Amino acid sequence: EEFTILKKHRKILWINISATSLGDSLMDLSSRIMLSDKHIDLFTDVKNFSIYKDDLFFKNVYTDFKDKTYSRYDLVIIDSYSTRSIRIKSIVARDTPYVGMFGYFNGPEVNRTLFSFHQMNKLLNNAKHENEIKALARNYISISKQDAEVVKNIIPTKYIAFVLGGEWKFKTFSRWNNIVDKIFNNDPKLNIIVLGSKNALIEANEIISNFPKNNIYNFVDKLNFNQTVEVIRKSQLVFCCDGGLMHAANAVNAKKG
């Protein structure tokens, strides 16, 4: 185990497999921008591949430890010293030195974005001051030209977005109809786009059936994650609960309600 990322560590593999929810992944990997002078490859969960395949900082993204195209690395960053992460490391880069992000820390909730930046700063020998870290510390996501073009061709000029559903029931909201009703009472001609994955289909259909004469675009379960984020980025306002798309909205500086 190493405790510092040095200049000689030019080629790095980052293993991010312990916390695989979209939001946690975005937060835990947010500090990758502090390694912009390095060649960084990512090993992540298969469901997160599409988020990072066009990333500005990761050169290659892997999801299969049996892949034969891994490079020889100078260093491995391990998200946490979980059995799963250690096993992946032992297979793809067994003898390569490594550093940890969370290490053995587990339990209390933390601001994962701030934690990622402060831990990365520590690994870089505290190269940045506290104020610099606070200014940098946010999530980052890259939208490809192809995804941006897809979105450009399907959205109205002005609209607000609603992110429905969610992976965890206790983090979702069940009264979207009330909010939509108040918005349309204020401006019946407003465009609304509803977004989300399969777990939001019922809610989306309810909203559309309750407001058949209004301008509602249903993009639920019709776009990939990064295309959905692009819709959020271009909205005038987005309403959302705690979840992966909320963290993605932060990444693109969306105006949130």
Side-chain angles (χ1 to χ4, degrees):
E1 181 180 8
E2 303 281 341
F3 298 95
T4 306
I5 298 176
L6 303 172
K7 286 186 178 181
K8 68 178 182 178
H9 298 139
R10 297 177 182 176
K11 211 163 191 179
I12 298 173
L13 175 66
W14 193 327
I15 297 174
N16 179 248
I17 203 76
S18 293
T20 60
S21 72
L22 300 176
D24 286 351
S25 178
L26 284 171
M27 290 186 284
D28 291 348
L29 294 171
S30 58
S31 63
R32 65 191 182 281
I33 70 164
M34 297 178 72
L35 298 174
S36 59
D37 61 329
K38 310 284 188 184
H39 174 114
I40 321 170
D41 290 350
L42 173 67
F43 185 99
T44 189
D45 189 270
V46 64
K47 71 183 179 69
N48 293 340
F49 174 82
S50 62
I51 303 177
Y52 302 108
K53 66 182 177 65
D54 299 305
D55 193 73
L56 294 176
F57 303 98
F58 292 126
K59 304 300 182 185
N60 301 290
V61 182
Y62 300 103
T63 60
D64 186 354
F65 62 81
K66 295 179 182 178
D67 198 304
K68 301 298 184 183
T69 61
Y70 289 102
S71 301
R72 293 181 63 87
Y73 297 104
D74 303 312
L75 187 72
V76 176
I77 299 174
I78 304 178
D79 53 3
S80 73
Y81 295 158
S82 64
T83 302
R84 189 181 185 192
S85 295
I86 294 295
R87 178 172 176 268
I88 295 298
K89 193 269 179 191
S90 69
I91 294 172
V92 302
R94 179 172 181 174
D95 298 321
T96 304
Y98 64 92
V99 296
M101 292 299 286
F102 276 85
Y104 295 105
F105 179 79
N106 188 24
E109 288 292 325
V110 298
N111 182 319
R112 300 180 81 102
T113 302
L114 271 178
F115 187 99
S116 179
F117 273 87
H118 279 290
Q119 176 62 5
M120 184 59 69
N121 195 45
K122 181 181 177 182
L123 292 171
L124 293 170
N125 205 23
N126 295 307
K128 295 188 180 298
H129 297 294
E130 176 78 12
N131 289 339
E132 293 178 282
I133 293 296
K134 288 181 178 179
L136 276 177
R138 68 175 182 85
N139 301 326
Y140 293 84
I141 189 167
S142 304
I143 308 298
S144 70
K145 290 181 179 179
Q146 292 87 348
D147 285 337
E149 188 66 22
V150 167
V151 170
K152 179 182 177 182
N153 292 326
I154 61 174
I155 58 173
T157 303
K158 294 182 178 180
Y159 60 91
I160 63 174
F162 281 79
V163 177
L164 311 178
E167 186 177 2
W168 304 101
K169 187 73 174 177
F170 71 95
K171 291 185 176 182
T172 60
F173 184 67
S174 60
R175 298 183 180 180
W176 291 120
N177 278 297
N178 295 345
I179 298 176
V180 172
D181 184 52
K182 290 185 177 182
I183 289 174
F184 280 141
N185 282 335
N186 184 62
D187 184 357
K189 295 182 179 180
L190 188 70
N191 295 311
I192 286 180
I193 293 178
V194 291
L195 302 163
S197 58
K198 287 182 181 179
N199 58 42
L201 286 170
I202 294 175
E203 285 179 288
N205 290 332
E206 285 180 355
I207 291 173
I208 291 168
S209 64
N210 287 333
F211 303 94
K213 296 181 180 181
N214 296 101
N215 301 323
I216 300 179
Y217 297 73
N218 184 5
F219 293 163
V220 170
D221 199 34
K222 295 178 181 178
L223 304 174
N224 66 35
F225 187 84
N226 288 21
Q227 290 167 355
T228 302
V229 175
E230 178 67 359
V231 173
I232 290 172
R233 186 184 73 83
K234 295 181 76 69
S235 68
Q236 294 175 286
L237 183 68
V238 59
F239 290 85
C240 56
C241 296
D242 185 9
L245 285 172
M246 184 200 74
H247 295 293
N250 286 331
V252 295
N253 291 319
K255 188 176 180 180
K256 296 174 287 298

